[in-house]
Every structure is written in C-alpha cells, then in structure tokens.
Amino acid sequence: MTDDNDVAGLQRRLAEFAAARDWQPYHTPKNLAAALSVEAAELLEIFQWLTPEQAERVMDDPDAAHRVADEVADVLAYLLQFCQVLGVDPLAALAAKIDRNEVRFPARRRVGEGESGAADVDPEKDRHSSE
C-alpha cells in the first residue's frame, strides 16, 4: 500500500479529484499559476495588518490557525498540480535551488571570525534567494 500523504500520492489524489469533476481542461499551467498566486495572496491577507509581534502569535488563535492551515493547503494543492502538469519534481527542484543558493549566498562570517571580524558581504550579491 502506498502512502497517500507523500508528494506523489497527494498529486494523484488531486488529479483524481479534478478528473471526477471534469476540471482537467481548466488545469492549464497559466490557470494553475494564477490560482496559486490568488491562494498565496489569501494567505498574505491573514497577516496584512498585523504587527510583526501579532504575526508571530497568529497560530495561538485557533480560528486564525485554521485559516492559515487552510490557505497553506490551498497553496500547496495548486503548486503540486502545477508541478504535475508541467512535469516538475517539486522536491528535486527545491533541492537544486537550495544547492544553487548555498553557492550564490555563502554563509556570512560571524562577528569575531576572520581578521576584521566583519562580514564579507557584496551588497550586489546579497539578495533574496528567489532572485
């Protein structure tokens, strides 16, 4: 018996769910990318007007925690469907991205390390990993 909670099992369940409702014609890369963006925005909406401190405590409120979990599930569902339609292995893609980022963005020296104790950082290269 296979585990339906692994990536392949979840993708299979999502595909079966869509097929049972004749939704496959609508599950194009463009539509799935748009739906993924909308769901990510709905996740962001939960945090929109919270202070950083409130955001850190959002999971302490059962109703907010439920909303966060639901939106995370929606984002992941559309991402897994998007990957399946395009033949992208999401775990391999993430592992490769982390490998590239480890080379692009080496760990900074900690204060007190090295001769000067200062971080050796090039501001042009010190950008977010999604760039």
Side-chain angles (χ1 to χ4, degrees), residues 39-52:
E39 294 301 338
E42 289 179 8
L43 178 59
L44 176 59
E45 183 181 30
I46 296 167
F47 296 90
Q48 184 174 9
W49 302 114
L50 300 182
T51 66

Side-chain angles (χ1 to χ4, degrees), residues 24-38 78 81-83 85-86:
Q24 309 96 312
Y26 308 106
H27 285 192
T28 64
K30 178 196 75 76
N31 288 350
L32 291 169
L36 175 58
S37 177
V38 168
Y78 280 118
Q81 291 173 91
F82 178 82
C83 288
V85 165
L86 291 179

Side-chain angles (χ1 to χ4, degrees), residues 1-114:
M1 183 172 152
T2 62
D3 183 3
D4 281 343
N5 286 330
D6 64 7
V7 171
L10 293 169
Q11 286 176 311
R12 183 178 51 259
R13 288 180 64 195
L14 289 164
E16 290 169 357
F17 183 89
R21 291 152 182 81
D22 297 321
W23 289 352
Q24 309 96 312
Y26 308 106
H27 285 192
T28 64
K30 178 196 75 76
N31 288 350
L32 291 169
L36 175 58
S37 177
V38 168
E39 294 301 338
E42 289 179 8
L43 178 59
L44 176 59
E45 183 181 30
I46 296 167
F47 296 90
Q48 184 174 9
W49 302 114
L50 300 182
T51 66
E53 295 78 19
Q54 290 169 324
E56 288 176 10
R57 294 188 313 269
V58 75
M59 298 305 282
D60 294 343
D61 173 18
D63 290 335
H66 180 74
R67 289 179 55 217
V68 168
D70 272 356
E71 295 306 335
V72 166
D74 289 342
V75 168
L76 184 56
Y78 280 118
L79 179 60
L80 292 177
Q81 291 173 91
F82 178 82
C83 288
Q84 186 172 37
V85 165
L86 291 179
V88 173
D89 177 337
L91 298 182
L94 177 57
K97 181 68 172 187
I98 293 169
D99 290 344
R100 287 191 308 275
N101 285 342
E102 288 174 338
V103 172
R104 285 181 65 199
F105 307 105
R108 295 180 181 180
R109 292 184 193 149
R110 298 199 187 277
V111 174
E113 291 183 9

